[in-house]
Amino acid sequence: MAEKERISKYTIIRCIGQGGEGCVYLAKDEELQRFVAVKKIGMRQGENKNDDRMLQEADILRQLCHPMLPVIYELLWDGNWYLVMEYIHGVTMQRYIEQNGCVGEEQAHTWAGQLLDILQYLHTQKPPVIYRDLKPQNVIVCPEGNLRLIDFGAAYRRSFGARGNRMAATPGYGAPEQFGKKGMHICADERSDIYALGMLLYYMVTGADPGKPPYALLPVQDYQPLLGQSVEQVIRRCTKEEPLERYQTVEEIREDLNREKRRRIYRPRRGGFIRRVEKRVWLTEWKSIL
């Protein structure tokens, strides 16, 4: 789509994102004089404008209301389906990490809490909404530091016992069952989102992208020797290959993170200081060997 093209009352300014389900453009609402995000929902040859799969994202988002989700303004047809929604200022988490490096433990706890909030909201809908594509490109870091979740093109409402033949998944973040690995049926449930959350936390605290070659994950402590064990333990359990070995709900993750946070608050200062010094000495010696 060329810049300055007009769709209904919206003037297209530039492309700001592209995925498997369509392109997203920054546009200006000429009537209300505000910037919006316009997503052109891709149409394959032979599909018509009533295709339920193409309209699924709009249908899900219109029924959800959460501070971390974009506001939907309208769905319109102009030769293609266009989903018009709130334009969220900020940068993707991928760009944020590339520009600023990995985040510290306190920031990781804060962002993990926000992601747990939105996943719990989605998973407790009736029926549950499974996001299925949690990754750095779909998380916006706003100027004030809060997170927003975008792109529901892969989301679906889970029917108990249902298994899908078509599965959206991003290498490095998608759970094994989303690819049908080791003879698994191709499916996704709440634990698939939990797997992706673990990979996203790993990316936050290490800066190493699981979605890029060689795809092998080194222990978190290899990148962050001073990081508390709780975050690494949460990541390890979230990313178990077998769904039954992972956390079964996001509330279980919250409990583990909060338990460690309380432990840090009431931990004797002297002991904590000594342990931090020991870690720093070890890190210095380790770097000198390299």
Side-chain angles (χ1 to χ4, degrees), residues 14 16 25-27 35-37 70-71 73 85-90:
R14 69 175 185 273
I16 56 176
Y25 300 92
L26 173 64
F35 291 108
V36 298
V71 177
Y73 297 139
M85 66 193 91
E86 173 189 7
Y87 172 64
I88 299 174
H89 294 272

Side-chain angles (χ1 to χ4, degrees), residues 255-272:
E255 289 175 2
D256 274 3
L257 289 175
N258 287 343
R259 186 181 301 113
E260 177 61 23
K261 190 173 183 179
R262 290 192 296 269
R263 189 180 296 127
R264 289 203 314 273
I265 292 175
Y266 295 109
R267 182 180 297 154
R269 291 187 177 182
R270 180 175 174 79

Side-chain angles (χ1 to χ4, degrees), residues 94-166:
Q94 181 183 42
R95 179 169 295 183
Y96 181 93
I97 297 295
E98 289 174 349
Q99 293 177 344
N100 301 282
C102 58
V103 303
E105 187 169 359
E106 289 299 323
Q107 186 65 68
H109 272 270
T110 299
W111 281 355
Q114 293 179 25
L115 292 168
L116 289 171
D117 285 344
I118 185 58
L119 287 181
Q120 184 172 24
Y121 172 76
L122 295 176
H123 293 173
T124 53
Q125 296 297 300
K126 299 184 184 299
V129 174
I130 311 302
Y131 184 69
R132 295 201 301 183
D133 201 21
L134 188 61
K135 58 185 178 182
Q137 298 94 319
N138 287 346
V139 179
I140 298 294
V141 181
C142 299
E144 66 275 14
N146 293 329
L147 302 183
R148 303 285 297 275
L149 189 63
I150 60 172
D151 196 348
F152 271 64
Y156 85 117
R157 290 192 177 276
R158 180 166 72 83
S159 298
F160 290 93
R163 300 184 186 279
N165 294 320
R166 180 180 178 276

Side-chain angles (χ1 to χ4, degrees), residues 19 44 64 98 108 134 167 187 244 255 278 290:
R44 297 187 308 221
L64 299 175
E98 289 174 349
L134 188 61
M167 182 67 63
C187 61
L244 285 174
E255 289 175 2
E278 289 174 345
L290 295 178

Side-chain angles (χ1 to χ4, degrees), residues 19-30:
E21 297 295 332
C23 301
V24 181
Y25 300 92
L26 173 64
K28 185 177 181 181
D29 184 331
E30 299 294 353

